[in-house]
Amino acid sequence: MNMSDISLQSLRMTLKELADRYRQLSQDDLFTLWFLRAYITSSEQLAASAVVGGAGDKSYDAVFVDDAAKAVFVIQTKFRKTLNKKLETRNDLVGFADIANQIGDPSDLIFGQYTERMSEFTAGKVTAGRRRILKGGYRLHLFFVTLGRVSDTHREDAEAVVRRAKCDATFEVIDGKRVMVIFRDYLDGVAPPVPMLDLVMERVPGVRVNAISNRFDETNEIESWVFSMRGGAVGAMFESADIRLFARNIRGFLGRNNPVNEGMLDTLTETPDRFFYYNNGITIVCDRAEKKTSRGRDVLQVSNPQIINGQQTTRTLASSMRKAAKAAVLVKVICVPREDHQNQDDYEKLVSQIVAGTNWQTAITPADLMANDRRQIELEAALRNRGYLYLRKRQSKGEARRHGGGKNYFLLKKEGLAQAVAGCNLDPIIIR
């Protein structure tokens, strides 16, 4: 059995677990629910409520409205029996892309005719989304998600259809290869990912920045950038992406009372202009990066970013944005193209080594280095279903409860779990 078969089998097992909680959904609907949870929203309940589809519902499998992001997501999925084998048809892609034209049409009469054969549930969600797009300035995002393949020609034809729409709309194809990348992230706890961030490079009076350092490693196909950012811009990243930005970090936030974080707050209060010299900076890994100019500012636009070193710095700056505006931070960005890596295990090993090599400002332990191990992630998910919040990362209790969504979980540290397991399997004298 090759790796593709193993990955697809693991995905089927994940869908089977979802089926235990959502027995009314078909396997195709469960795949749609999983994609929403893995890529769009962290709430499984909200993902389930967005699943639509039935007789007359055209190309709609899910409609999800994100009021915080001012976005409407419309999803069509194709759960194929094999991975990367079935070639999707032009008619399916173009027909799905035409949703942008139907929703963007300003005529209520024409739109009413378009929805009259839909189920009442689906028509209601589509109508609510259209109202936000036309009157609230929301953006429409169309995702065609398949375990099969999509030709470049069919993709381009669909994109051309969306460009003709009379609303702000985007179209994205996620094929079988990309689905497996998202699935690996889902298993690693990086779900949903941070789609994109703009890293604004430092440019203020009194500070001269001549250039940024850009390095491309042809052997490993890894590109890196080193530059400085204002502390307020770093804090704004957390305000935009929240704790999803640190999913690959080996620790959680250690709290404001941690000695290192207290020291950073003191520097921000007393000598913010020297913060740059006292701090080790932050390290970000991403899938893609592109340097752009926006409104006279130099910006590095990064896709699927993860702060793997510097969570304490980022969170401290975000907690004191007014003081952070007077500080600067060194930023290193490492771009490792996910889909160009033939062996995803090699990719994850590389990222783990970068994480281990860059996390030394706050002392790390061997247990910290195992925090993102796949078995630890599986334990966290399994125990959560049984009412336990498993603390696989070192973090404050308040941060742990925040990560748990405010539910009344019983907190369980990995040391406590290790003692319980040892108490069952080993002689008591060894545990003592």
Side-chain angles (χ1 to χ4, degrees):
M1 185 178 290
N2 59 39
M3 288 305 297
S4 295
D5 292 334
I6 294 172
S7 298
L8 188 55
Q9 184 178 9
S10 297
L11 177 58
R12 288 197 181 99
M13 290 176 62
T14 298
L15 299 186
K16 186 177 180 181
E17 292 174 3
L18 288 173
D20 292 338
R21 298 191 290 278
Y22 301 95
R23 298 182 183 278
Q24 76 279 13
L25 298 182
S26 67
Q27 189 172 56
D28 290 344
D29 289 339
L30 290 168
F31 179 55
T32 303
L33 188 162
W34 168 80
F35 174 76
L36 285 164
R37 172 59 187 86
Y39 204 70
I40 305 296
T41 176
S42 59
S43 170
E44 186 176 289
Q45 289 73 28
L46 290 178
S49 68
V51 175
V52 299
D57 284 353
K58 304 181 187 296
S59 299
Y60 295 88
D61 288 325
V63 180
F64 183 85
V65 177
D66 188 337
D67 290 314
K70 299 194 74 173
V72 176
F73 298 89
V74 176
I75 319 294
Q76 184 178 25
T77 59
K78 302 288 185 181
F79 186 72
R80 303 302 185 187
K81 294 181 179 180
T82 55
L83 187 63
N84 298 322
K85 299 287 179 66
K86 170 70 175 179
L87 182 64
E88 303 297 344
T89 68
R90 180 184 182 277
N91 285 345
D92 279 348
L93 270 96
V94 171
F96 178 64
D98 190 54
I99 286 175
N101 292 293
Q102 301 297 337
I103 289 180
D105 194 311
S107 171
D108 291 338
L109 177 61
I110 294 175
F111 182 74
Q113 294 171 346
Y114 170 69
T115 59
E116 66 182 359
R117 293 188 179 181
M118 289 183 185
S119 68
E120 183 178 350
F121 179 70
T122 302
K125 283 190 168 292
V126 176
T127 301
R130 175 177 178 265
R131 187 184 308 117
R132 286 170 169 82
I133 291 167
L134 297 185
K135 298 182 179 180
Y138 284 42
R139 171 178 279 194
L140 172 64
H141 297 275
L142 300 176
F143 285 97
F144 186 92
V145 185
T146 176
L147 289 179
R149 297 181 294 118
V150 174
S151 74
D152 291 339
T153 302
H154 294 169
R155 188 192 308 251
E156 291 165 2
D157 288 347
E159 290 170 349
V161 171
V162 173
R163 284 196 294 269
R164 295 197 295 267
K166 296 178 181 178
C167 63
D168 187 2
T170 66
F171 176 85
E172 186 171 352
V173 170
I174 297 183
D175 60 13
K177 184 177 179 181
R178 179 101 179 274
V179 167
M180 287 299 105
V181 170
I182 294 171
F183 182 58
R184 295 290 291 237
D185 281 346
Y186 174 82
L187 293 178
D188 288 342
V190 190
V194 181
M196 189 172 291
L197 282 178
D198 287 343
L199 310 185
V200 182
M201 300 174 188
E202 184 179 26
R203 186 177 181 180
V204 294
V207 176
R208 186 172 62 211
V209 181
N210 293 325
I212 68 168
S213 174
N214 176 225
R215 178 180 186 269
F216 180 65
D217 178 353
E218 293 183 358
T219 302
N220 295 298
E221 297 185 350
I222 298 175
E223 192 165 13
S224 306
W225 289 262
V226 179
F227 53 92
S228 58
M229 291 177 64
R230 299 305 293 176
V234 173
M237 290 193 300
F238 173 68
E239 290 190 337
S240 172
D242 203 60
I243 58 174
R244 293 182 297 162
L245 196 55
F246 311 109
R248 290 195 182 276
N249 204 296
I250 58 176
R251 279 186 298 263
F253 185 52
L254 300 178
R256 297 188 62 160
N257 295 328
N258 177 267
V260 172
N261 296 343
E262 285 181 338
M264 285 191 282
L265 281 171
D266 289 342
T267 301
L268 288 174
T269 301
E270 298 169 9
T271 54
D273 56 314
R274 297 184 181 180
F275 191 91
F276 180 86
Y277 309 111
Y278 299 162
N279 187 268
N280 282 352
I282 66 175
T283 302
I284 300 173
V285 294
C286 64
D287 294 353
R288 295 186 184 87
E290 183 179 1
K291 185 174 180 292
K292 296 184 175 182
T293 300
S294 175
R295 298 179 181 179
R297 304 173 303 175
D298 288 332
V299 171
L300 189 67
Q301 192 172 82
V302 294
S303 299
N304 197 11
Q306 284 285 302
I307 293 180
I308 59 170
N309 176 43
Q311 177 172 186
Q312 313 308 316
T313 296
T314 305
R315 299 283 291 272
T316 300
L317 291 169
S319 71
S320 303
M321 289 290 281
R322 185 174 57 83
K323 297 175 182 178
K326 301 177 183 179
V329 181
L330 184 68
V331 178
K332 178 165 68 173
V333 177
I334 303 172
C335 178
V336 185
R338 292 286 300 276
E339 294 176 41
D340 293 340
H341 260 72
Q342 296 298 320
N343 190 332
Q344 288 297 313
D345 289 331
D346 286 347
Y347 166 84
E348 291 174 5
K349 182 178 179 181
L350 171 63
V351 172
S352 295
Q353 289 171 337
I354 295 172
V355 170
T358 56
N359 276 275
W360 293 106
Q361 182 167 353
T362 302
I364 60 175
T365 66
D368 288 330
L369 294 176
M370 294 301 294
N372 288 333
D373 181 76
R374 181 64 53 77
R375 182 60 59 85
Q376 292 293 312
I377 294 168
E378 291 171 352
L379 281 171
E380 180 185 32
L383 288 166
R384 185 188 293 260
N385 290 334
R386 290 162 174 80
Y388 293 88
L389 189 59
Y390 178 55
L391 307 185
R392 60 183 172 88
K393 296 183 180 184
R394 186 151 48 106
Q395 57 191 304
S396 67
K397 289 184 178 179
E399 175 69 5
R401 289 194 173 93
R402 180 172 181 266
H403 184 65
K407 293 185 179 180
N408 191 25
Y409 289 108
F410 181 85
L411 297 184
L412 176 62
K413 293 184 177 181
K414 54 179 174 279
E415 293 83 2
L417 179 62
Q419 288 172 347
V421 172
C424 296
N425 295 340
L426 302 176
D427 190 291
I429 195 170
I430 297 176
I431 306 163
R432 288 197 295 270

